[in-house]
Amino acid sequence: MCLSAPIHSSATLVICHLKRQAVLVCNTRPELWDLGFYRYLAHHIKMTWRLLVLGGACLLLLGVRGQCKEQRNRRTVSFHQTQQDGDQRQVLSRPERDTTASPRPTFTACKLPLTPLEHRVLDQNTHETGFHGDDGSSFTVTWVGDGTGVILVLSTISAPLDSFFEGGSSRLYRSADYGKSFHDISHLINNTFIRKEFGLLAGPGNSQQVILTADTPVLDNTGGVIFTSTDAGVSFKSVQLPFHPAQPITFHFLNPEYLVVISIDGGLWLSLDFGTVWKKVHEGTQYFTWGSGITLFFSFSPKGTVEADRRGELFLKRTEDLGKTFTTVAHSIFSFGYVGGFLFTSVIETLGAPRVIYVSSDQGDQFNKAQLPSASTEQFYSVLDGDEDMIFMHVDNPGEESYFGTVYTSDDRGILYSKSLERHLFGGEGKSDFTNVTSMRGVYLTNILEEDGRIRTVISFNRGGEWTLLNKPQNVECGEDSRNDCNLHIHGEYSRYNGITPMLPLSDPTAVGLVIAHGSVGDSISSTRPDVYVSEDGGYKWRGSLRGPHHYSILDAGGLVVAVEAHPMDGQINTIKFSTDEGQCWKVYNFTEQPIFFAGLTSEPGTKTMNISVWGYRPEEDHQPMWVVVTIDFQSLLTRECGNQDYVQWLAHATEGGDLATEGCVLGYKETFRRLRKLSVCRNGRDYVVSRQKSPCPCTREDYLCDYGYYRHENSSECMRQLDTADHALEVCLNGEEEELRTSGYRKVPSDKCEGGFTPLRIKETVNRHCGNSSQPPTASPYSETPREKMLLIVVCVGSGIVILVAVAAAVYTVRRMGYGNRAPTYRFSVLQLQDDDCSIAADPESVASSNGTSVFPVDSDDDLIE
């Protein structure tokens, strides 16, 4: 399994696990490599690589996905052009669909005509900007502040990799009216070349801070250069750095004056005055993250070795006073992560033992062993989601080609874990479809790999307590052969990575109950051309909304939804679709007479805005592509502010035919929302606030998870004891003292507020037996060798390296003879129903971009995979 991890430079380290691919590639961009080739290559050098595994060269990765919820509201997005050659400006389109393929369930999208008045109003409020003369190959768009209307755009073009010259050029543009007009402000930074990868950064929240990082040659300068702005880009100040940054400068999440970054030589640098003065506070830093308040955690190697993480020789330190003093909270660790107030470390307790997870809920003062299955060098852990109440943890299943694992949920201390979902699909590139539906409390979506090979979507409405298949969409009819096994299945992160779908499922807390997603209907997920489905009640009921893949966005707190077709046959677009009834019916507006090659759809983070920008490019008279942005302001179309008569009281999680006493009860209480009527055509406005009323519920079995050592029997709410836990009393080491847990198999879901009702037995007693040092995870580095062992390891590694080089050469020669046409599909859904359809696309995002004229917005490392 190949997983990427940042190594604090413009490159990326690719770690390939033995169970997936036996290749270690350093200093490369993973998306530029042919994964099909490496799967073939892995087969030839697997046995040789295992020699290195004995030396501890393979890593266990702790994947932290706790930040994934922020991705959909991120302030910065980037997109690229596909250069057109001469008169052949048509972008390669997808092949026609094979009409002989088996039919799939379909629906008819509801379309309403646009009235002449509506068309005239939209024409008057549509603004097009052409960036004439800008030869930038990529645009980076960043929103500054909340409700300011300020957008900064960085256009960059770099010298080709095979060019004799280095560097490139860039331009900086600014808009102060939500993208309706732009002005070139490159002169404010002396036309300095700003780097493409992380050159443009905006501060958190409603701050006006902006940082530009210049592309400064390392060999010719002792330090880099940044430009800072405190007025949303009206003016900039140049700052000479005493170091070269190896990664994006990180703002503190509350105080944007506090900045932290790692330099190319591993130095940890802090600034407390928004970049004016920098102080080096530590050496040999590998990774850092902010904790609570101003606490900063970072791992480092005291020896400064580049393999300290692989050797389990990292130290974990903490500073609570911004670098004045330090406390070592753990040593001999492989990796660490901080999610939802929980601090995790990956360690080996004894030499030769598998890795385990230790967790602290008090900022590293005390650690306790997480009660999870241990993981060998072929397995990994991944934190899928988490907050201060509970963690979702994926534990990979053993086996060479399992591609799945088990999801566990923690207690409120992050120590005791219960089995939540088995056979959870986890793609070969470190992609998981685990999704938090933020528009409805307690709802999660993900995909599982059935024993018969089918990939199916399941949903939980109570934070992982129970999982069920999605219901069939109301307006979709299934065929006779699948009428009894027909459900909706949702495409997630892995499908987007492979180009099957352009967007992830979309939801927002301000648009209560609304979920928009790509999916297919049948007995399992399919790679055929996906359609867009909408749920208005958090995933209980669905409707087919749009045929084919689309880019979509939620505006005006759900009162307006817009969409643009993702893959038109000729690669060009000139229309946008919008709906005022949560995707039930759509109107189509032609926003330009000159079609553009679509590049991206952007709106202000959040859902309060009513402006949407369509980005793309079209050829000029000299056949060179010109960047174009069209911004449409829907505020003049929906002029009426919503009044009390436009809202209705709606009970969340209510189902038909339920018990009135428990109807709508989830996690111990009911929520009644004030929600916009579907037939009301009005504007929520920027001041709209979600209104809700809560009422407690009596406890039932649904308010409980199965306790440690228990699992929920299929199609039942009863918790059954696992066979490997025979006794009713379980012993857990907690804060250095042994705790005895007597349970009947149930523990209340963290954050559940139910009262009375079902109350199962659960008693925790502290036993006066010491069980280890609670302030430090017991660790043993597998590289504490004697000189003789070191010499033996060197000999093994050198010999293995020679064998690997020979194997690589032989494999390359063989592959070239085989030809690229015989390569295996790059889909990591090993049993995905591949058909000869227009959605069977190569997995490389670069190839996807070249085949349809657009490029999917790059993923901002939402996996946050930590070595």
Side-chain angles (χ1 to χ4, degrees):
M1 174 180 180
C2 222
L3 302 180
S4 64
I7 56 173
H8 315 306
S9 69
S10 58
T12 300
L13 175 66
V14 181
I15 302 296
C16 302
H17 286 280
L18 209 169
K19 75 178 295 181
R20 302 288 191 258
Q21 304 173 53
V23 183
L24 177 64
V25 184
C26 293
N27 297 329
T28 184
R29 294 284 302 280
E31 65 270 22
L32 301 182
W33 291 85
D34 188 335
L35 300 178
F37 165 75
Y38 282 107
R39 280 198 299 273
Y40 175 81
L41 186 61
H43 174 73
H44 289 269
I45 63 177
K46 181 186 295 183
M47 296 305 297
T48 302
W49 186 252
R50 280 178 174 168
L51 293 176
L52 294 181
V53 174
L54 295 177
C58 255
L59 293 182
L60 174 72
L61 297 192
L62 173 63
V64 180
R65 295 181 56 88
Q67 304 300 322
C68 64
K69 292 181 288 186
E70 297 177 0
Q71 178 192 343
R72 299 191 185 101
N73 286 330
R74 65 180 185 267
R75 294 182 177 275
T76 302
V77 291
S78 301
F79 34 83
H80 312 273
Q81 287 181 350
T82 298
Q83 297 290 342
Q84 310 300 319
D85 185 14
D87 291 333
Q88 295 180 346
R89 296 184 298 275
Q90 293 286 334
V91 176
L92 295 176
S93 61
R94 296 182 171 203
E96 293 286 346
R97 179 178 302 181
D98 184 359
T99 56
T100 63
S102 58
R104 59 185 179 132
T106 60
F107 61 89
T108 301
C110 175
K111 295 182 180 180
L112 298 176
L114 193 68
T115 67
L117 176 60
E118 290 174 328
H119 202 291
R120 185 165 60 253
V121 170
L122 288 175
D123 281 345
Q124 295 171 351
N125 291 275
T126 297
H127 310 268
E128 180 174 315
T129 301
F131 298 85
H132 298 276
D134 191 313
D135 55 358
S137 58
S138 68
F139 264 37
T140 300
V141 181
T142 295
W143 291 83
V144 183
D146 291 333
T148 63
V150 175
I151 307 173
L152 294 180
V153 177
L154 176 66
S155 166
T156 56
I157 181 171
S158 302
L161 295 177
D162 56 354
S163 172
F164 177 78
F165 301 98
E166 295 183 357
S169 62
S170 63
R171 289 187 183 179
L172 185 65
Y173 302 93
R174 185 177 187 269
S175 171
D177 52 10
Y178 293 92
K180 298 173 184 177
S181 63
F182 285 87
H183 304 280
D184 190 336
I185 60 170
S186 304
H187 62 280
L188 297 179
I189 56 173
N190 302 320
N191 297 299
T192 304
F193 178 33
I194 303 301
R195 61 184 307 158
K196 173 182 174 181
E197 292 83 3
F198 49 85
L200 177 56
L201 301 169
N206 200 29
S207 68
Q208 308 290 301
Q209 282 96 330
V210 178
I211 298 177
L212 304 175
T213 304
D215 195 317
T216 308
V218 175
L219 298 180
D220 302 332
N221 299 272
T222 57
V225 174
I226 61 173
F227 294 88
T228 61
S229 173
T230 57
D231 52 15
V234 174
S235 62
F236 285 91
K237 180 180 69 172
S238 175
V239 178
Q240 178 68 49
L241 300 177
F243 60 91
H244 287 278
Q247 57 175 208
I249 295 173
T250 301
F251 290 86
H252 186 270
F253 52 90
L254 293 178
N255 189 342
E257 295 290 314
Y258 298 163
L259 307 176
V260 61
V261 69
I262 295 177
S263 59
I264 59 175
D265 59 356
L268 182 66
W269 293 80
L270 276 172
S271 174
L272 307 182
D273 55 5
F274 188 52
T276 301
V277 178
W278 291 86
K279 178 183 178 183
K280 188 176 186 179
V281 297
H282 215 279
E283 302 271 4
T285 311
Q286 297 272 337
Y287 174 75
F288 71 86
T289 184
W290 289 106
S292 65
I294 59 172
T295 300
L296 182 67
F297 296 101
F298 62 93
S299 58
F300 75 99
S301 169
K303 299 180 181 179
T305 57
V306 294
E307 296 183 348
D309 48 355
R310 295 165 56 188
R311 300 161 64 96
E313 294 179 348
L314 290 179
F315 279 60
L316 177 59
K317 278 191 174 183
R318 175 189 71 199
T319 175
E320 299 176 283
D321 51 14
L322 300 173
K324 296 178 182 178
T325 60
F326 301 92
T327 302
T328 300
V329 297
H331 61 80
S332 301
I333 70 170
F334 290 86
S335 61
F336 84 97
Y338 185 83
V339 179
F342 296 101
L343 179 64
F344 297 91
T345 62
S346 172
V347 302
I348 286 182
E349 295 179 302
T350 58
L351 189 62
R355 291 184 175 92
V356 295
I357 296 293
Y358 272 76
V359 60
S360 171
S361 57
D362 55 9
Q363 304 294 298
D365 288 336
Q366 291 182 320
F367 281 89
N368 293 286
K369 183 178 178 179
Q371 301 303 307
L372 283 164
S374 58
S376 67
T377 54
E378 293 185 348
Q379 297 172 264
F380 63 92
Y381 299 100
S382 178
V383 180
L384 302 171
D385 193 58
D387 55 26
E388 66 277 4
D389 292 320
M390 190 172 75
I391 293 292
F392 284 91
M393 181 81 75
H394 172 99
V395 181
D396 187 39
N397 268 38
E400 286 292 315
E401 297 292 338
S402 66
Y403 296 102
F404 65 89
T406 301
V407 176
Y408 292 84
T409 55
S410 76
D411 62 2
D412 54 4
R413 300 172 298 180
I415 300 171
L416 292 179
Y417 285 79
S418 302
K419 188 180 295 184
S420 174
L421 179 67
E422 294 183 306
R423 304 194 66 85
H424 178 241
L425 184 69
F426 207 105
E429 284 78 23
K431 303 298 180 183
S432 168
D433 295 334
F434 196 86
T435 302
N436 180 13
V437 177
T438 59
S439 62
M440 194 88 138
R441 178 175 54 93
V443 181
Y444 290 86
L445 282 167
T446 195
N447 284 315
I448 59 173
L449 177 61
E450 299 279 17
E451 292 184 2
D452 60 5
R454 293 179 298 170
I455 297 173
R456 312 181 81 184
T457 299
V458 291
I459 188 169
S460 174
F461 297 103
N462 58 352
R463 299 199 77 185
E466 293 178 293
W467 297 86
T468 60
L469 294 171
L470 294 180
N471 291 321
K472 178 187 73 68
Q474 295 171 318
N475 60 339
V476 174
E477 293 298 329
C478 295
E480 293 293 336
D481 55 343
S482 60
R483 189 176 298 275
N484 296 327
D485 194 5
C486 181
N487 302 89
L488 175 63
H489 304 281
I490 300 297
H491 288 284
E493 176 62 54
Y494 191 74
S495 292
R496 184 177 70 159
Y497 178 82
N498 284 292
I500 298 174
T501 176
M503 284 196 69
L504 297 175
L506 181 64
S507 61
D508 192 271
T510 62
V512 177
L514 182 61
V515 191
I516 310 174
H518 287 92
S520 58
V521 178
D523 64 346
S524 62
I525 201 168
S526 172
S527 66
T528 56
R529 183 178 172 89
D531 296 319
V532 177
Y533 296 86
V534 174
S535 173
E536 61 187 49
D537 59 3
Y540 287 94
K541 298 177 182 178
W542 295 82
R543 286 183 58 86
S545 184
L546 290 170
R547 297 297 307 276
H550 284 71
H551 292 265
Y552 39 73
S553 185
I554 299 174
L555 308 180
D556 191 37
L560 180 67
V561 181
V562 296
V564 173
E565 188 176 357
H567 302 299
M569 296 305 297
D570 61 355
Q572 301 180 74
I573 64 165
N574 61 356
T575 61
I576 188 171
K577 304 171 185 179
F578 66 94
S579 170
T580 58
D581 55 9
E582 298 180 332
Q584 184 168 324
C585 289
W586 298 82
K587 294 184 178 182
V588 180
Y589 169 57
N590 189 329
F591 60 82
T592 181
E593 296 300 324
Q594 296 178 281
I596 62 175
F597 292 96
F598 178 73
L601 189 68
T602 65
S603 62
E604 183 184 17
T607 64
K608 294 183 177 181
T609 185
M610 297 195 70
N611 294 275
I612 191 73
S613 295
V614 183
W615 295 81
Y617 51 93
R618 69 167 69 100
E620 293 191 282
E621 294 181 357
D622 59 357
H623 302 318
Q624 294 300 312
M626 176 187 69
W627 281 103
V628 175
V629 57
V630 179
T631 298
I632 307 167
D633 186 355
F634 284 91
Q635 185 165 320
S636 298
L637 185 65
L638 303 177
T639 56
R640 185 175 68 85
E641 292 282 349
C642 296
N644 291 331
Q645 71 279 5
D646 295 301
Y647 295 95
V648 63
Q649 296 296 311
W650 179 71
L651 177 62
H653 291 287
T655 56
E656 296 179 0
D659 185 0
L660 293 178
T662 58
E663 184 73 5
C665 288
V666 169
L667 300 176
Y669 61 95
K670 302 180 182 182
E671 281 185 304
T672 302
F673 292 88
R674 183 171 175 263
R675 181 172 183 173
L676 188 65
R677 294 180 184 272
K678 193 164 294 185
L679 297 180
S680 291
V681 181
C682 57
R683 186 173 70 229
N684 283 315
R686 296 193 68 92
D687 297 330
Y688 173 76
V689 177
V690 175
S691 174
R692 74 187 77 193
Q693 295 177 344
K694 299 179 181 180
S695 56
C697 295
C699 296
T700 66
R701 289 180 186 270
E702 283 68 32
D703 294 295
Y704 289 82
L705 298 171
C706 292
D707 216 335
Y708 177 71
Y710 289 78
Y711 70 98
R712 199 176 296 274
H713 194 269
E714 186 177 1
N715 299 324
S716 171
S717 60
E718 184 178 358
C719 291
M720 310 291 291
R721 175 171 287 280
Q722 294 175 199
L723 296 178
D724 55 351
T725 57
D727 298 330
H728 286 279
L730 301 174
E731 295 178 350
V732 180
C733 187
L734 181 66
N735 298 335
E737 296 291 337
E738 199 165 272
E739 182 179 274
E740 188 174 88
L741 175 64
R742 297 184 180 275
T743 174
S744 57
Y746 300 87
R747 64 177 173 87
K748 187 176 287 188
V749 176
S751 74
D752 193 294
K753 309 299 183 184
C754 70
E755 301 174 357
F758 179 68
T759 348
L761 173 68
R762 195 172 194 270
I763 302 174
K764 292 181 288 185
E765 297 179 351
T766 300
V767 183
N768 293 325
R769 288 197 296 267
H770 185 67
C771 58
N773 180 13
S774 63
S775 63
Q776 174 65 228
T779 55
S781 173
Y783 275 85
S784 301
E785 317 98 330
T786 63
R788 178 176 296 182
E789 289 172 332
K790 289 183 179 180
M791 182 60 66
L792 177 60
L793 179 62
I794 293 174
V795 172
V796 170
C797 288
V798 171
S800 300
I802 295 174
V803 175
I804 287 176
L805 290 176
V806 174
V808 170
V812 171
Y813 175 75
T814 305
V815 170
R816 287 181 176 176
R817 294 194 60 183
M818 290 173 61
Y820 288 98
N822 294 327
R823 273 184 274 144
T826 53
Y827 294 109
R828 282 311 186 100
F829 287 135
S830 56
V831 291
L832 190 62
Q833 298 177 352
L834 294 177
Q835 301 180 18
D836 294 331
D837 198 86
D838 55 354
C839 276
S840 298
I841 312 170
D844 185 355
E846 296 293 333
S847 65
V848 174
S850 64
S851 66
N852 58 33
T854 68
S855 65
V856 178
F857 291 97
V859 181
D860 287 344
S861 186
D862 63 301
D863 291 74
D864 288 335
L865 294 170
I866 305 172
E867 302 166 50

